[in-house]
């Protein structure tokens, strides 16, 4: 199992479009992906659950990934978050 904290750094936070991009990435992997914020954990493959986290800029999320492709999944998620969901320069 991989557990890693990532900070949301894009201006608009984890809004609908960013949540859709995130779940698009997570859904490509067979691993179980959970996202936690302040003790609340949700399914990282569910757009509604991800949006319910209401993660604004500066929010720290903990990603817990377990499965055969967990390393690849973590790298893809980390790249997406660090690239600000491809929304801004």
């Amino acid at each position: 199992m991989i557990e890693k904290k990532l900070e949301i750094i894009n201006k608009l936070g984890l809004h609908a479009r960013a949540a859709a991009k995130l779940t698009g990435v997570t859904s490509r992997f067979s691993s179980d992906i959970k996202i936690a914020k302040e003790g609340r954990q949700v399914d990282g493959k569910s757009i509604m659950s991800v949006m319910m986290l209401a993660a604004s800029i500066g929010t720290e999320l903990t990603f817990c990934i377990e499965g055969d492709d967990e390393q690849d999944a973590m790298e893809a998620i980390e790249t997406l978050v660090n690239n600000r969901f491809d929304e801004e320069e």
Side-chain angles (χ1 to χ4, degrees), residues 54-77:
S56 57
I57 187 171
T59 300
E60 188 174 78
L61 299 177
T62 303
F63 290 81
C64 300
I65 307 172
E66 186 170 12
D68 293 337
D69 54 2
E70 61 189 27
Q71 189 63 46
D72 292 335
M74 187 70 250
E75 288 172 12
I77 292 166

Side-chain angles (χ1 to χ4, degrees), residues 24-38:
V25 167
T26 58
S27 295
R28 294 191 327 234
F29 298 95
S30 63
S31 293
D32 184 43
I33 300 173
K34 301 291 183 195
I35 305 171
K37 174 189 165 197
E38 299 169 356

Side-chain angles (χ1 to χ4, degrees), residues 10 13-28 35 44-51 80 85 87:
N10 60 313
L14 200 52
H15 59 93
R17 191 171 31 249
K21 285 186 177 186
L22 178 60
T23 55
V25 167
T26 58
S27 295
R28 294 191 327 234
I35 305 171
K45 296 181 182 182
S46 165
I47 190 168
M48 293 305 292
S49 295
V50 170
M51 287 178 59
L80 182 66
F85 299 91
E87 292 180 349

